[in-house]
Amino acid sequence: MREITQADYLRFLSAHDHVTIGNAKIKLQGHWKIKEYGPPEEYEPERTTVWSFPDRGRWATHRGNYRGNWSPYIPRNLILKFTEEGDTVLDQMMGSGTTLVESKLLNRNAIGVDINPEAAMLTRDRLNFSGFDKAEIKTFEGDARTLDKIEEESIDLIATHPPYGNIITYTKSREINGDLSRLPFKEYLIGMKRVAEESFRVLKKGKHCAILMGDGRKYKHYVPIAYPVMKIFLDAGFILKEDIIKIQWNMKTTREKWQSKNYDFYLIGHEHIFIFRKPESDNEYRKYKFSRPELWL
Ligand SMILES: C[S@@+](CC[C@H](N)C(=O)[O-])C[C@H]1O[C@@H](n2cnc3c(N)ncnc32)[C@H](O)[C@@H]1O
């Protein structure tokens, strides 16, 4: 891991007015003036295991123009439910920094990591607004499989959205070694095993780790990615707290258009947010055997 500091970002900004992520050029703003600091007033935190955010969320510096970014409603819900002010949130695949921006707005310390140094610059740009100075936010270029600068049992919440393994490539124009989205499925799963083990190592006992995962389709048949990854996290020692279905809105075509077309398969319109918990002890791990059906056989 290599820290990308505010000074590194300012140096980068003096020579660049954009970052290139895949094929997309994303403008760097410099310093942001913010109009809205959170979701519309009438919004209430989620209470069920089905989440749907058709308006996706554009408050603060969220712009939704990083391929595969998650809606800020997701980290906001997770941070509010599972942390207190002053806690530390980790997103080890931070992309454009949605989780870190929400952490800053909600006075949580945060650590962000991404394999792509340009993502770290973009995140620092999105964090470059004043008025919220309580949180300490650190950003790193690094690999989620080896979080060597993060101490064990130092994190209060992990909230991250990994790539789905050969479905969307984030670093098309420039090969980035270690980008999980470029790996064939088997290597991807091996990589996710290391991500799960590192997540388990850095998380404090009793605390939560949330990941957003989707599935794929090949030869017109469903390719489950989310459940194999869930199993990998359970094997790493986590217990399952929630399996939330997240409705997908931000697709190339709208859901209405899908319905008018004549496919002989259903278009995938959901993802899973798995919320795992690191058990307090071996005893507690055994108590939650019911979330591991294979252990009953
Ligand atoms: C789905 S995107 C995350 C988007 C982010 N939640 C946001 O809202 O912008 C997945 C990210 O994982 C990063 N990534 C891929 N392999 C990685 C690895 N081995 N370690 C750390 N980051 C990685 C990609 O560069 C990409 O930014």
Side-chain angles (χ1 to χ4, degrees):
M1 284 167 75
R2 180 177 71 94
E3 185 165 5
I4 308 272
T5 63
Q6 182 70 2
D8 294 329
Y9 157 70
L10 291 175
R11 245 189 323 275
F12 184 85
L13 189 64
S14 64
H16 305 84
D17 64 359
H18 68 274
V19 292
T20 308
I21 308 284
N23 295 328
K25 281 187 176 178
I26 305 179
K27 191 176 171 313
L28 296 172
Q29 191 75 20
H31 192 269
W32 292 77
K33 282 207 176 83
I34 293 193
K35 291 196 193 107
E36 289 147 324
Y37 296 104
E41 237 170 63
E42 61 277 11
Y43 174 72
E44 293 199 3
E46 300 306 303
R47 299 184 60 186
T48 75
T49 56
V50 181
W51 293 7
S52 178
F53 308 111
D55 80 340
R56 126 158 252 111
R58 253 182 81 93
W59 63 86
T61 60
H62 302 302
R63 288 298 172 269
N65 56 355
Y66 186 92
R67 185 120 193 251
N69 61 159
W70 62 0
S71 158
Y73 284 103
I74 300 173
R76 173 161 288 251
N77 270 280
L78 298 168
I79 290 168
L80 288 174
K81 190 149 185 93
F82 296 114
T83 64
E84 305 285 339
E85 283 201 15
D87 279 358
T88 301
V89 178
L90 167 68
D91 185 343
Q92 64 271 58
M93 303 188 195
M94 67 185 156
S96 57
T98 313
T99 310
L100 276 68
V101 170
E102 284 305 295
S103 300
K104 177 167 169 162
L105 292 169
L106 296 166
N107 299 325
R108 271 66 169 177
N109 301 322
I111 299 174
V113 184
D114 203 285
I115 199 83
N116 187 345
E118 301 219 7
M121 292 304 174
L122 180 61
T123 293
R124 288 235 72 98
D125 191 67
R126 299 277 159 99
L127 287 165
N128 205 19
F129 59 90
S130 5
F132 293 81
D133 301 323
K134 279 199 190 163
E136 190 192 358
I137 313 269
K138 290 191 169 186
T139 48
F140 294 86
E141 171 190 355
D143 192 327
R145 295 170 295 184
T146 320
L147 300 173
D148 49 68
K149 288 213 160 61
I150 306 183
E151 280 179 28
E152 63 186 67
E153 310 210 331
S154 61
I155 301 294
D156 297 284
L157 170 69
I158 292 173
T160 199
H161 179 197
Y164 299 159
N166 238 342
I167 303 284
I168 301 174
T169 303
Y170 292 92
T171 52
K172 219 176 206 164
S173 52
R174 204 152 55 90
E175 291 256 341
I176 293 201
N177 237 345
D179 180 345
L180 291 168
S181 67
R182 302 190 69 87
L183 298 179
F185 197 46
K186 185 177 167 194
E187 274 101 280
Y188 168 79
L189 291 177
I190 293 168
M192 286 307 291
K193 182 170 181 290
R194 286 172 58 193
V195 172
E197 287 162 357
E198 276 295 77
S199 301
F200 193 82
R201 180 183 69 78
V202 301
L203 197 66
K204 291 180 187 168
K205 288 195 174 86
K207 302 287 181 169
H208 298 86
C209 166
I211 60 168
L212 173 65
M213 285 301 310
D215 299 309
R217 191 174 289 282
K218 210 167 184 172
Y219 312 127
K220 300 185 179 179
H221 285 68
Y222 205 83
V223 182
I225 303 172
Y227 283 125
V229 170
M230 179 193 81
K231 169 92 169 47
I232 285 170
F233 274 70
L234 294 178
D235 288 346
F238 286 106
I239 49 182
L240 189 62
K241 173 101 176 175
E242 308 289 352
D243 175 4
I244 291 164
I245 297 300
K246 203 218 91 196
I247 306 296
Q248 265 186 298
W249 288 94
N250 192 20
M251 309 293 291
K252 284 198 170 140
T253 56
T254 66
R255 295 165 67 76
E256 288 68 32
K257 272 191 199 155
W258 295 354
Q259 278 153 19
S260 67
K261 287 204 176 164
N262 227 354
Y263 297 103
D264 74 344
F265 54 85
Y266 295 112
L267 286 145
I268 300 172
H270 71 282
E271 293 165 297
H272 297 257
I273 302 169
F274 296 120
I275 304 178
F276 304 102
R277 192 161 68 80
K278 179 170 173 173
E280 300 276 2
S281 62
D282 287 352
N283 262 352
E284 203 198 16
Y285 183 60
R286 279 190 289 274
K287 181 174 151 199
Y288 289 95
K289 194 176 163 193
F290 55 78
S291 77
R292 309 284 312 272
E294 76 275 16
L295 297 181
W296 294 102
L297 299 174

